[in-house]
Amino acid sequence: AQSVAQPEDQVNVAEGNPLTVKCTYSVSGNPYLFWYVQYPNRGLQFLLKYITGDNLVKGSYGFEAEFNKSQTSFHLKKPSALVSDSALYFCAVRDMRGDDKIIFGKGTRLHILP
Amino acid sequence: NAGVTQTPKFQVLKTGQSMTLQCAQDMNHEYMSWYRQDPGMGLRLIHYSVGAGITDQGEVPNGYNVSRSTTEDFPLRLLSAAPSQTSVYFCASSYSSSGRETQYFGPGTRLLVL
């Protein structure tokens, strides 16, 4: 069965600094990987996904993520953080070889400090 | 398009009561799913459906039933509510069950079981 881990409950970054939110996964086949963001009292919004191809994926709001098969990671990054990036971020995985489940991590709360 | 809609937005139940959380989408999506969100637990998959007439269990299916009689609707039923089911419930849909597509989330239903 697939699983995904977000090892940090919270990440604090000063505005203007680069940010990284970590995600590692476990699948038996190849993964489809996703990042979603949740703003307070809202549903989840899609940021970006890795399906196949280039390991560096660019998404909404200036975010990008790098797929690393050897480290089974899919870390979310942004070169320069904004206060408005403060939110809850979720990584999700689907195992191409498995069933149709899409499993989410526990989420990482990102605080951008002005 | 209204996207994914969920009703009610908020509900209070007594232990042992039953209720149905409604979810509808107008995008002709094949794949629909229900998640619950709890602090420190992230999003956990309850049930999912890859098309009308087909449902399957997710990570935490106990205490919940689903059905998918139409493409548009995917209701979640609590037959006998328990305090452990206090949570925020999100419905999501995507175009197909291939796992490659972005999921669209509803605004959520906040459920309190006393």
Side-chain angles (χ1 to χ4, degrees):
Chain A
Q2 67 268 50
S3 66
V4 61
Q6 294 181 242
E8 303 152 318
D9 291 336
Q10 182 169 309
V11 172
N12 297 323
V13 177
E15 187 177 24
N17 283 3
L19 69 87
T20 298
V21 183
K22 295 179 180 176
C23 172
T24 58
Y25 65 90
S26 174
V27 294
S28 56
N30 289 318
Y32 295 137
L33 292 155
F34 303 82
W35 276 101
Y36 288 83
V37 60
Q38 184 181 34
Y39 297 102
N41 300 313
R42 303 285 295 276
L44 275 73
Q45 299 176 29
F46 170 76
L47 272 182
L48 52 80
K49 65 182 176 183
Y50 171 82
I51 303 300
T52 187
D54 195 349
N55 289 345
L56 185 63
V57 179
K58 294 188 184 297
S60 307
Y61 312 121
F63 283 94
E64 59 188 28
E66 186 168 10
F67 171 63
N68 188 317
K69 188 170 184 177
S70 62
Q71 296 185 6
T72 61
S73 67
F74 189 56
H75 301 331
L76 182 70
K77 300 181 180 183
K78 187 172 181 180
S80 179
L82 300 172
V83 172
S84 57
D85 293 330
S86 298
L88 188 55
Y89 290 81
F90 290 97
C91 183
V93 66
R94 158 76 189 272
D95 188 346
M96 282 192 232
R97 192 183 292 177
D99 54 25
D100 299 304
K101 295 176 185 173
I102 300 172
I103 301 300
F104 281 74
K106 293 184 178 181
T108 298
R109 189 164 297 281
L110 179 63
H111 285 287
I112 307 303
L113 309 171
Chain B
N1 288 348
V4 180
T5 58
Q6 292 183 239
T7 56
K9 286 191 170 69
F10 181 72
Q11 183 73 45
V12 179
L13 289 179
K14 293 181 180 178
T15 296
Q17 285 185 316
S18 63
M19 80 160 295
T20 299
L21 280 63
Q22 301 291 346
C23 174
Q25 51 89 11
D26 60 357
M27 298 173 281
N28 202 32
H29 283 174
E30 285 185 359
Y31 185 91
M32 296 186 74
S33 55
W34 276 103
Y35 292 88
R36 58 178 289 174
Q37 183 178 19
D38 303 290
M41 303 295 290
L43 281 168
R44 291 181 291 172
L45 181 64
I46 305 172
H47 286 285
Y48 63 99
S49 167
V50 300
I54 307 169
T55 63
D56 208 342
Q57 296 181 346
E59 302 170 275
V60 287
N62 292 342
Y64 307 95
N65 283 347
V66 291
S67 59
R68 184 95 179 270
S69 56
T70 67
T71 299
E72 294 78 20
D73 300 299
F74 191 43
L76 179 72
R77 296 183 184 85
L78 284 70
L79 296 179
S80 179
S84 61
Q85 294 178 303
T86 293
S87 186
V88 181
Y89 291 85
F90 288 101
C91 179
S93 73
S94 62
Y95 180 68
S96 81
S97 60
S98 71
R100 300 168 63 96
E101 281 75 28
T102 301
Q103 289 200 87
Y104 293 85
F105 283 81
T109 293
R110 191 173 296 270
L111 176 66
L112 176 61
V113 183
L114 301 175

